Amino acid sequence: MVKDIYLYNHYDQYDRVSRRMLEESLETYDLYSENLSVINQVAYFYYQRNDFYHALDFVLKAHALTITYNYPNEYYFTIKLTGDIYYKLGALESASKYYMMALNQTGDIDTNRKKCDILCSLSASYQESGVLDLATDYGVEALQMAELLEEDLLIGNANLELCRIHRKRRLGDKALKFGLKSVEMFKKSKDQRGLALIYLEIASIYANQKDMMLSMNFYEKALGISMDIGFEEGIIHSNYLLGSLMFKEGNTGKALIVLEEALEVSRRNSLGIHKVDLYYLLSEIYAETGEFELAYNAYKTGTELNEHIRSERHRERIYQLQNEFNMSLKDQQLKHYKEENQTLEKRNKELTEEVIRDPLTHLLNRRGLRNAISGIEYLAKDTLILCDIDDFKQINDQYGHPCGDVLLQSISDLMVKYSSEKDLIARWGGEEFLILLPDTSMEAAVEYAQRMMNRIALEEFGCDDHSFRVTMTFGIASMIGDFETSIHLADQRLYEGKGNGKNQVVFK
């Protein structure tokens, strides 16, 4: 018989979740699909296995239940977990919103502990967004509460966040002070994951201070712990920092091995922030070794990820959300929450769309397309097209970036208009688009691309008092086996078309 209520602490026991544990929780869900605790546990197990999209799907099911307000302690966990999932997906504005909701929905069990935990999460979210003043405020508040509670793990987490913030501010001595205190607390609480994370921060501090021996020592400690406990995020970050240090010391070959291993692990996760750092560093090393095409591709990929994760609009939206939330608390309070419960499912669907859609063109973004095709095996029955607006920079330079945005929207609309509903169209980054044509031969895909190229070349685009024409170049590849290999081939053909005069379709 399943429990109707679990305490939030119930979930703390699961540091590692096996496939079998997840399958058992799904079997329980089949029997109790309206039970909030069961849904939370399934979502949490997916989250622990870095399957953030399935985790998001289940927490949205939990939000949609009409019984949520009858179970405030369990519903707190739903809200907190929603914030954690959006944080891992890089949707920091949504993460901050849910953390603020959780701060005011702690129930009547372990209230102060929950508030302290949320304050640490808010500090981390604002820190990743680059809003360091707010991050510091929440970090200090978390530390003060943790010290009053006299709980080692909470004190360790608060010191970890303050260490990160001060390292970003390049205040090495203060960062180290918080870091060493965090080490002490994590050792006392026997939290190996926390210990791995703080060792990485301390290693970075020593690297900034040019103490490479101590830095390497702490990186290796972090990597050893991460491998022992199967902490993939720690493995990725440790290898990234080790590779960076090796590169600085001139050991390029070993650096590449370590970084490529980290990238391979990262491909099994949705940890976009670490991938940005990896791609940028790999680009630098490839350029150093004369692999300029690899350097270009790595840098372009990293930049596109970075633009999405660290957008200036995210920072502005965070402040806006905080003000809106505080006003709603004062003006509506309990009535607001009851009314919001009726529309929460709709809003969560909108938030899910925000995660997978490009905000400018409303096409799928990289994450949305990868999510749409995950788990599909391709056997040359589908075709992939990578296309790019020719001389887009000149449009921005001559008419301004707002006109460039209008052009991107107009071309997106044309692509949707002249494609079928089954075709998947994504803004792949900048002025580049990716089109996946299911059950389409190479011959049919070439005809499609040529028609699209001709329509765009004949179209007159307008913005303000300006009118202009543009062309596009298309690279086509059959989808065979591995998506990354196919898109790399399409990118090579697009690059070839750009070099051979643009406004053309390259398919062999």
Side-chain angles (χ1 to χ4, degrees):
M1 185 70 179
V2 70
K3 292 183 180 179
D4 290 331
I5 285 293
Y6 291 152
L7 301 185
Y8 176 62
N9 289 352
H10 171 81
Y11 299 89
D12 288 350
Q13 65 184 285
Y14 300 113
D15 289 327
R16 299 174 73 176
V17 175
S18 68
R19 182 68 195 172
R20 183 57 194 155
M21 290 169 66
L22 176 59
E23 289 170 352
E24 287 175 353
S25 71
L26 287 168
E27 290 169 4
T28 306
Y29 170 75
D30 287 339
L31 298 173
Y32 302 97
S33 61
E34 296 294 311
N35 186 286
L36 182 60
S37 300
V38 172
I39 297 173
N40 278 342
Q41 188 170 69
V42 175
Y44 184 76
F45 281 2
Y46 273 123
Y47 172 82
Q48 282 288 10
R49 292 180 62 81
N50 293 328
D51 190 342
F52 302 125
Y53 288 106
H54 279 105
L56 183 61
D57 181 47
F58 275 88
V59 293
L60 296 185
K61 292 179 192 294
H63 281 293
L65 292 178
T66 57
I67 64 167
T68 51
Y69 285 102
N70 298 325
Y71 300 89
N73 294 299
E74 187 67 12
Y75 187 46
Y76 160 81
F77 180 77
T78 304
I79 302 170
K80 169 64 164 58
L81 183 56
T82 308
D84 290 342
I85 294 165
Y86 279 124
Y87 178 85
K88 291 293 188 182
L89 288 169
L92 299 175
E93 61 181 24
S94 297
S96 297
K97 177 191 173 183
Y98 277 94
Y99 288 150
M100 286 188 285
M101 285 178 64
L103 195 60
N104 293 277
Q105 181 73 33
T106 53
D108 57 3
I109 298 174
D110 258 349
T111 299
N112 288 332
R113 186 187 184 281
K114 291 174 183 174
K115 285 184 176 179
C116 186
D117 190 29
I118 288 292
L119 289 169
C120 279
S121 297
L122 278 166
S123 179
S125 182
Y126 287 130
Q127 180 244 130
E128 285 292 350
S129 302
V131 190
L132 297 185
D133 288 337
L134 272 176
T136 303
D137 291 343
Y138 282 115
V140 169
E141 190 177 350
L143 181 57
Q144 291 170 342
M145 184 172 285
E147 288 174 341
L148 285 173
L149 292 169
E150 297 182 340
E151 188 165 331
D152 295 337
L153 180 58
L154 293 177
I155 296 171
N157 284 330
N159 276 285
L160 169 60
E161 294 307 328
L162 289 168
C163 175
R164 286 172 168 165
I165 294 164
H166 285 85
R167 181 178 65 79
K168 282 196 171 183
R169 291 186 185 275
R170 298 195 175 278
L171 300 173
D173 291 338
K174 281 190 175 180
L176 195 57
K177 175 185 173 184
F178 287 115
L180 294 175
K181 182 65 175 179
S182 185
V183 169
E184 177 187 346
M185 293 297 103
F186 285 139
K187 284 184 175 179
K188 286 180 69 175
S189 61
K190 298 181 180 178
D191 185 344
Q192 293 295 96
R193 182 176 296 201
L195 205 54
L197 291 172
I198 194 58
Y199 279 159
L200 288 170
E201 295 301 319
I202 293 173
S204 297
I205 295 168
Y206 282 127
N208 290 337
Q209 295 176 348
K210 310 300 182 186
D211 191 336
M212 298 308 175
M213 185 177 295
L214 272 175
S215 181
M216 184 72 77
N217 182 34
F218 277 96
Y219 287 148
E220 289 173 347
K221 284 183 178 180
L223 181 59
I225 291 174
S226 298
M227 293 180 72
D228 285 344
I229 65 174
F231 180 29
E232 290 194 324
E233 186 175 356
I235 294 170
I236 295 166
H237 202 188
S238 300
N239 276 322
Y240 161 73
L241 294 170
L242 274 171
S244 178
L245 201 57
M246 290 171 176
F247 179 50
K248 287 177 183 176
E249 292 183 334
N251 200 337
T252 305
K254 284 188 177 179
L256 270 176
I257 292 171
V258 168
L259 293 170
E260 287 170 349
E261 287 176 355
L263 191 59
E264 182 61 30
V265 176
S266 76
R267 288 190 177 117
R268 299 197 296 265
N269 299 275
S270 301
L271 305 172
I273 292 170
H274 294 308
K275 286 183 183 177
V276 169
D277 295 333
L278 280 167
Y279 278 118
Y280 278 153
L281 185 53
L282 280 167
S283 174
E284 190 177 350
I285 297 175
Y286 287 141
E288 183 76 15
T289 57
E291 296 282 353
F292 296 112
E293 184 176 354
L294 288 174
Y296 166 77
N297 289 333
Y299 188 84
K300 184 170 72 169
T301 303
T303 299
E304 289 162 356
L305 284 171
N306 196 41
E307 284 175 355
H308 174 74
I309 293 168
R310 303 184 189 279
S311 168
E312 186 67 27
R313 281 176 288 183
H314 281 193
R315 185 180 303 182
E316 294 171 1
R317 182 63 175 147
I318 284 168
Y319 283 121
Q320 182 184 351
L321 282 168
Q322 186 182 33
N323 290 333
E324 289 174 355
F325 185 80
N326 289 337
M327 287 297 293
S328 70
L329 283 179
K330 291 178 182 178
D331 296 339
Q332 298 181 44
Q333 295 181 348
L334 182 60
K335 179 183 176 183
H336 168 76
Y337 287 116
K338 288 182 178 178
E339 292 174 351
E340 186 182 51
N341 188 52
Q342 297 172 2
T343 59
L344 195 54
E345 182 176 8
K346 178 183 176 183
R347 179 56 184 147
N348 278 317
K349 287 179 180 177
E350 292 172 356
L351 287 170
T352 303
E353 284 294 298
E354 289 176 17
V355 171
I356 65 171
R357 294 278 174 187
D358 172 57
L360 177 66
T361 63
H362 304 297
L363 298 176
L364 293 170
N365 58 20
R366 280 175 172 258
R367 181 183 290 117
L369 182 74
R370 290 182 187 278
N371 188 42
I373 66 172
S374 62
I376 299 174
E377 185 178 359
Y378 297 98
L379 301 171
K381 62 180 181 178
D382 307 312
T383 309
L384 183 151
I385 302 175
L386 200 60
C387 54
D388 185 282
I389 302 172
D390 297 328
D391 303 313
F392 183 71
K393 184 176 183 300
Q394 293 180 14
I395 299 292
N396 280 335
D397 291 345
Q398 186 171 354
Y399 304 114
H401 286 276
C403 283
D405 288 347
V406 170
L407 175 61
L408 289 168
Q409 291 169 328
S410 299
I411 287 180
S412 300
D413 291 343
L414 280 173
M415 287 184 173
V416 172
K417 180 179 179 180
Y418 292 112
S419 301
S420 69
E421 290 185 2
K422 68 177 182 177
D423 299 336
L424 295 175
I425 308 174
R427 185 182 177 193
W428 203 239
E431 65 272 26
E432 196 172 61
F433 299 87
L434 186 145
I435 306 166
L436 181 62
L437 303 176
D439 296 317
T440 304
S441 67
M442 177 62 76
E443 182 181 1
V446 171
E447 290 178 3
Y448 167 96
Q450 288 173 338
R451 286 196 305 270
M452 193 71 71
M453 181 184 71
N454 292 334
R455 285 181 179 126
I456 289 168
L458 292 172
E459 187 78 16
E460 187 169 315
F461 298 95
C463 173
D464 297 333
D465 296 328
H466 310 297
S467 62
F468 46 84
R469 296 182 187 275
V470 298
T471 60
M472 292 188 72
T473 303
F474 296 73
I476 309 179
S478 295
M479 289 290 291
I480 304 175
D482 178 65
F483 176 71
E484 298 295 338
T485 302
S486 301
I487 196 168
H488 179 67
L489 180 57
D491 190 51
Q492 285 181 323
R493 289 170 177 171
L494 171 62
Y495 189 77
E496 180 184 336
K498 289 286 190 180
N500 290 337
K502 307 173 187 175
N503 192 30
Q504 57 188 269
V505 176
V506 181
F507 56 94
K508 59 182 179 179

